[in-house]
Amino acid sequence: MAIWIPYFIAIPIGAAFFIPLVSRHLRWAPDVLGNLVMLVLAGLSLLTFGQNAVYHMGAWQTPIGIDLRLDGLASLLLISINLIGLTSSFYSVAYMRQYTSKLRYYSLFLLMVAGMNGVVLAADLFNLYIFVELASIASYALVAFGCEHEELEAAFKYLILGSLATLFALIGISLIYGLTGSLNMAQVAGRLASTPSSTALLFALALLCTGFALKSALVPFHAWLPYAHPSAPAPISAMLSGVLIKAIGIYVLARLLFNVFGLTPLLQTVLQTLGVLSMVVGVLLAIGQWDMKRLFAYHSISQIGYVVLGLSLATPLGLIGALYHLFNHSIFKSLLFLNAGAVEYATGTRELRKLGGLRRLLPVTATTSLVGSLSIAGIPPFNGFWSKLIIIIACVQAEHYWLAGAAVFVSFMTLASFLKVQKYAFLETAKEKLQLLSKVPFSMGAAMVFLALMCLLTSLLVLTGLTHPFLITPAAEALQKGILVM
Amino acid sequence: MVYTLCFMLIAVGLYGILVKKNLVKIIIGFVIMEAGAHLLLILIGYRRGGEVPILEKGVAAIHFAQKSVDPVPQALVLTSIVIGLGILALMVAMAIRMYERFHTFDINELRRLKG
């Protein structure tokens, strides 16, 4: 397996530059090649399950060369990135016809995927930073893809805050290098464990936490997300909300705090505070929104709060709940954004007050969005219920009763705001002015149905054991092991 | 002392990003902050009176290890400068697009997204 690891980065980067070369003459090339690459990557990512491997770039041994490391957590993230990527790129076949340049779109899309795969696999801090930048720069350009007023403004805001975040991370990484003289995660972890904690270390840690909390849009670092995510084209919103904030935000935070620095009670409190704040503030801001995508974007903040809360408990069950919720969220949030895109494609608006009666007009979109809404609100047969349940049980087990209460409260508020979406967009009778501009094309419908089925299928994971679900357990164990050893 | 100046440079850049209302000034603030970060990174590998980190024939490895400055941060900073250039190009391109369309660089006049 180890020999395949670099292909997760090499294939999409290669394709990103190959597509513009060939598609000057072949109009079908971007669609076909883009989807083919994503299909290959999704297949490869499924093969990584259950594997542990280290790949030495150019056969240079560990302290000298660059390593790529695959473990349970990386494999879970790879599966979710590439599966959602495949669905989004299939959805784009029809959706991106509204925009001018498919070729640039697929190029940037594949660069973003390459960046995320790289972040997940990187075993040293500087390459982590480079891949974070790669994924971010592609996503800045994709948010601005429409070049309208809203998109440019949102993208500029995102660009400034995002590059500020990576700059903080860079300063943090250089301080860590100054303290330990190494960039390899395992080596850094080993050397930090034997040195006493100092002010410089705490400062570096604070910078890294700030940087990656900004990337994962935790409250109070969330200001860019509700602008950037709704302004992007729908499949990109799905990628951004579904996997980008996790791959370059939450994943990095978890990896650094658990596997490199070691989780201390202080850090646990910080994570807990960030998690609860995001959870509650996110949902309270979401419920008042009338723009469909904006409402979903605020819910991303709130659901990421759940993940961070689960991580902060650092108990086995908490970690499983957090990672399970991370995986589920990537599925149902992408589904919801794709739904919003389909609604906008068919009616020309995503303003809830102008919509209505879409259940009759767009049956596929309405049904899949019902599945997505029930999943995110935590209604039993769907995946969101199980992961939230595990997180709440973990809170009670750790005797944080008020945290469990907050989680339940946020779940109710989520349900309320998704009932609002269902009521205004899909159930009420249609407004007179509303007319269907076009039908939802096959590729968009198929992508949505696939994700809706995934919502049901991933809830079956819980059948393999509530405390040790299939697929999630190796990932949780990777975090549980504590700091890395060489 | 040099480290303090470095952090001051970063702080000046941060001030520019957070306080200024003009897109171009925000971009300049970002560049200043980036320069500060790069300076910090290169300072970490610096050694007073050190030598160029190129291993020449006839120089003992032990002497080299004791004398030369750390080459790793220099490699890192080069990479980071290139990334910085990419971001700068994107920022400027976006600012130009916004200026072409709305004939202003002032973010207060541009602001339409609220809430």
Side-chain angles (χ1 to χ4, degrees):
Chain A
M1 190 63 218
I3 194 72
W4 287 103
I5 296 176
Y7 286 95
F8 280 107
I9 303 159
I11 294 177
I13 288 190
F17 294 109
F18 184 66
I19 288 176
L21 279 183
V22 293
S23 41
R24 190 150 300 202
H25 304 294
L26 308 169
R27 293 187 63 82
W28 48 265
D31 276 337
V32 174
L33 283 176
N35 282 296
L36 200 65
V37 167
M38 285 320 296
L39 192 66
V40 171
L41 285 179
L44 272 183
S45 74
L46 288 177
L47 289 182
T48 63
F49 174 68
Q51 309 265 352
N52 285 307
V54 178
Y55 178 82
H56 305 287
M57 286 274 202
W60 292 93
Q61 285 312 304
T62 295
I64 301 168
I66 294 168
D67 287 356
L68 298 176
R69 179 192 293 271
L70 175 72
D71 61 4
L73 183 61
S75 152
L76 178 73
L77 264 290
L78 278 180
I79 291 175
S80 84
I81 291 167
N82 293 305
L83 270 186
I84 303 297
L86 173 64
T87 334
S88 296
S89 74
F90 192 60
Y91 182 93
S92 323
V93 172
Y95 185 83
M96 292 310 287
R97 275 188 208 129
Q98 308 170 66
Y99 295 84
T100 44
S101 178
K102 259 194 177 174
L103 147 185
R104 293 195 186 82
Y105 169 79
Y106 275 107
S107 251
L108 288 168
F109 185 91
L110 290 174
L111 278 181
M112 187 166 81
V113 170
M116 287 191 285
N117 284 346
V119 170
V120 169
L121 289 169
D124 73 290
L125 292 171
F126 195 74
N127 277 295
L128 187 91
Y129 161 76
I130 288 177
F131 285 124
V132 166
E133 283 285 27
L134 175 57
S136 315
I137 293 177
S139 72
Y140 306 143
L142 282 169
V143 168
F145 204 74
C147 272
E148 293 304 314
H149 188 147
E150 241 181 68
E151 281 119 0
L152 282 174
E153 199 188 324
F156 197 78
K157 198 174 257 181
Y158 178 33
L159 173 55
I160 292 292
L161 283 173
S163 37
L164 199 62
T166 44
L167 211 50
F168 275 141
L170 177 65
I171 299 172
I173 289 170
S174 46
L175 288 177
I176 294 286
Y177 180 74
L179 286 171
T180 61
S182 171
L183 285 166
N184 186 285
M185 282 188 199
Q187 218 169 9
V188 168
R191 292 190 188 168
L192 282 180
S194 57
T195 50
S197 130
S198 60
T199 325
L201 178 62
L202 271 182
F203 183 55
L205 195 52
L207 283 171
L208 285 171
C209 282
T210 315
F212 291 109
L214 248 169
K215 280 280 174 210
S216 45
L218 296 169
V219 175
F221 304 108
H222 66 287
W224 58 271
L225 187 140
Y227 300 101
H229 287 194
S231 302
I236 296 306
S237 311
M239 284 298 276
L240 293 182
S241 256
V243 286
L244 190 87
I245 51 173
K246 303 189 184 77
I248 71 174
I250 297 297
Y251 165 81
V252 181
L253 268 183
R255 184 64 97 196
L256 289 182
L257 295 186
F258 281 83
N259 290 155
V260 177
F261 294 103
L263 202 63
T264 56
L266 172 72
L267 286 174
Q268 249 177 308
T269 323
V270 170
L271 275 186
Q272 220 163 58
T273 320
L274 286 175
V276 176
L277 262 180
S278 316
M279 230 163 69
V280 176
V281 174
V283 83
L284 290 181
L285 287 172
I287 206 161
Q289 300 299 325
W290 287 100
D291 180 337
M292 215 165 162
K293 274 174 125 182
R294 216 173 146 76
L295 190 145
F296 295 161
Y298 274 113
H299 274 294
S300 288
I301 301 175
S302 156
Q303 302 298 315
I304 285 299
Y306 272 101
V307 177
V308 174
L309 174 65
L311 288 176
S312 77
L313 296 173
T315 57
L317 199 61
L319 291 179
I320 282 176
L323 294 172
Y324 194 14
H325 198 63
L326 185 149
F327 187 59
N328 290 342
H329 180 252
S330 72
I331 294 168
F332 56 64
K333 185 47 67 69
S334 315
L335 172 60
L336 287 167
F337 269 112
L338 296 186
N339 289 145
V343 168
E344 197 182 4
Y345 186 90
T347 64
T349 179
R350 48 178 206 245
E351 174 77 21
L352 285 176
R353 276 175 289 210
K354 289 185 191 156
L355 295 168
L358 293 180
R359 169 151 291 283
R360 200 169 45 77
L361 298 172
L362 304 170
V364 177
T365 312
T367 316
T368 49
S369 93
L370 187 64
V371 172
S373 304
L374 292 180
S375 301
I376 195 173
I379 303 296
F382 298 103
N383 55 11
F385 169 74
W386 298 107
S387 47
K388 280 187 185 176
L389 183 70
I390 295 175
I391 292 176
I392 291 169
I393 293 175
C395 282
V396 173
Q397 264 187 357
E399 300 188 342
H400 290 300
Y401 298 110
W402 69 275
L403 290 182
V408 174
F409 166 74
V410 171
S411 192
F412 275 121
M413 297 295 278
T414 311
L415 181 62
S417 65
F418 276 93
L419 283 179
K420 171 177 153 184
V421 173
Q422 290 298 325
K423 174 170 181 287
Y424 280 94
F426 295 105
L427 294 179
E428 273 190 349
T429 49
K431 307 280 185 300
E432 278 167 22
K433 276 186 210 154
L434 187 76
Q435 36 176 251
L436 226 46
L437 300 175
S438 57
K439 284 187 174 167
V440 175
F442 167 75
S443 91
M444 290 162 68
M448 291 188 292
V449 170
F450 173 71
L451 284 179
L453 286 179
M454 285 290 287
C455 277
L456 270 175
L457 280 179
T458 48
S459 72
L460 294 181
L461 288 180
V462 86
L463 288 183
T464 54
L466 190 64
T467 52
H468 52 89
F470 181 68
L471 193 70
I472 314 293
T473 317
E477 275 165 1
L479 285 182
Q480 194 81 57
K481 270 184 206 147
I483 61 170
L484 293 166
V485 282
M486 291 275 286
Chain B
M1 176 61 194
V2 195
Y3 283 95
T4 324
L5 286 177
C6 213
F7 277 105
M8 272 172 66
L9 208 54
I10 292 174
V12 168
L14 193 59
Y15 171 84
I17 294 173
L18 297 178
V19 178
K20 291 296 171 191
K21 297 290 173 208
N22 188 314
L23 289 184
V24 178
K25 285 183 183 164
I26 292 177
I27 295 174
I28 292 174
F30 177 76
V31 174
I32 294 175
M33 192 175 165
E34 203 178 26
H38 291 162
L39 210 54
L40 180 73
L41 186 51
I42 208 93
L43 265 180
I44 281 170
Y46 179 71
R47 173 182 283 174
R48 198 173 288 266
E51 288 173 2
V52 186
I54 300 171
L55 187 56
E56 284 176 26
K57 271 193 185 133
V59 180
I62 190 85
H63 171 79
F64 178 75
Q66 279 169 352
K67 273 287 188 178
S68 76
V69 295
D70 190 350
V72 176
Q74 301 184 356
L76 302 187
V77 111
L78 274 179
T79 320
S80 177
I81 287 171
V82 174
I83 292 177
L85 181 70
I87 295 184
L88 182 63
L90 192 59
M91 277 180 180
V92 172
M94 255 180 222
I96 290 175
R97 255 295 166 72
M98 280 158 104
Y99 187 77
E100 273 174 359
R101 207 156 272 212
F102 317 114
H103 302 289
T104 175
F105 276 131
D106 191 329
I107 48 171
N108 284 333
E109 288 172 39
L110 287 172
R111 187 168 297 158
R112 192 185 287 171
L113 300 172
K114 289 229 172 70

